[in-house]
Amino acid sequence: MPVAAPEGGESPDGNGDSDGELPSPIYPPLQPPPPGTGLGQARGSLTRGARTSDGNAIRRGAGRYVAASGGGRGASRRMPNSRATAGGVAGLVRTFATQGPAEALKPFNLQELAGAPAVDVFVALTEALCPPGGTIDEAIARDAMLETIAALAAEGIGNFDEMVPADLQEFFIGVVSRSIEGKILNEVGTNSIRVSSDLTSVERAQRMLHEFVEGCVRDRFSSFGSSLADVSGQQIDNFVFDLYEAAFNLMHAMGDAS
């Protein structure tokens, strides 16, 4: 679900100076479901949910998307760039918790921003992990970062070095959730959710999808029983893949039950 960012924002130049604005997300063009994939059922459920504000239909649509994508494992495999971006964020959180803010930013050559406003640091991190351009999945990953930053900025956050690992863990969960949401919207949901001319209904449908996806990601993350600080560098890629797969599987199960 896109979270509005100020229009006309410029990318930071590497010194944390973003002029107080966030870059505008780049929304990739909607790709129609390939024939015979079963994504049409997902689109139909999302369309009904948007027209009637039916949360059960929204959940069924998300669950049917997972089924049409080959289950949780297949859906996770369809998001290599988003997983890589989430892995970069996970690595930052882990190093922040174990070695401090400057060391966490060093792999991205951003250590001089350790004491800068957190929003500026996250925008610079976005440019390092997923610069503009590239594939649709890369654009989805970038949008997920920017949308999560916008949500944090709306809540009001201080300097990066004043954050605690739990704050950064929330950033990670937001990036994973919004990348999954963005994938669903890109493949089957954008036209479905915009079927109504009523802006309030559109926003309500997007919010229901966001809350469902984020709830599944948060549930699966909690079920792993560990913080990102406990995940070794060698385990991060597997951890991230497993989280995406588990969240997709839960979406499928809950969608079927709706």
Side-chain angles (χ1 to χ4, degrees):
M1 175 185 62
V3 177
E7 295 184 359
E10 297 180 355
S11 299
D13 56 12
N15 61 6
D17 182 9
S18 61
D19 297 327
E21 297 183 341
L22 303 180
S24 297
I26 300 172
Y27 302 118
L30 178 69
Q31 300 298 303
T37 61
L39 291 176
Q41 290 185 338
R43 174 179 284 176
S45 293
L46 289 173
T47 298
R48 285 191 293 276
R51 284 176 174 164
T52 62
S53 296
D54 183 352
N56 287 335
I58 295 290
R59 289 190 288 274
R60 280 195 299 273
R64 286 170 175 171
Y65 168 81
V66 178
S69 299
R73 181 167 291 269
S76 183
R77 284 175 172 166
R78 289 164 62 89
M79 302 184 67
N81 297 105
S82 294
R83 294 198 322 268
T85 296
V89 175
L92 177 139
V93 178
R94 175 184 176 276
T95 307
F96 184 101
T98 57
Q99 301 179 48
E103 288 298 316
L105 294 173
K106 188 175 291 186
F108 311 100
N109 295 317
L110 299 174
Q111 59 269 24
E112 72 278 5
L113 297 181
V119 168
D120 289 349
V121 174
F122 289 144
V123 171
L125 181 66
T126 301
E127 299 302 315
L129 284 173
C130 40
T135 67
I136 289 175
D137 191 41
E138 288 171 335
I140 288 172
R142 179 179 172 85
D143 288 350
M145 292 276 288
L146 294 176
E147 291 160 13
T148 303
I149 295 167
L152 290 174
E155 295 175 0
I157 53 176
N159 290 343
F160 182 73
D161 60 357
E162 297 170 344
M163 301 184 79
V164 297
D167 296 329
L168 291 171
Q169 202 155 273
E170 285 296 305
F171 180 64
F172 168 77
I173 290 172
V175 169
V176 173
S177 301
R178 288 181 173 87
S179 67
I180 291 174
E181 180 186 352
K183 184 71 169 178
I184 295 172
L185 286 173
N186 177 264
E187 295 204 336
V188 298
T190 301
N191 286 348
S192 302
I193 285 182
R194 291 179 181 170
V195 292
S196 173
S197 59
D198 179 3
L199 180 60
T200 301
S201 297
V202 172
E203 291 175 343
R204 185 182 301 116
Q206 290 181 326
R207 184 170 61 252
M208 287 189 292
L209 177 62
H210 172 73
E211 289 174 351
F212 175 57
V213 173
E214 184 181 58
C216 289
V217 172
R218 192 176 297 279
D219 181 278
R220 296 297 86 188
F221 182 86
S222 298
S223 73
F224 286 175
S226 63
S227 71
L228 290 172
D230 300 324
V231 181
S232 71
Q234 293 75 22
Q235 294 173 327
I236 283 178
D237 288 346
N238 287 337
F239 178 90
V240 170
F241 185 95
D242 290 347
L243 177 61
Y244 272 85
E245 179 182 4
F248 274 124
N249 281 334
L250 182 59
M251 289 165 55
H252 187 192
M254 293 184 68
D256 281 350
S258 297

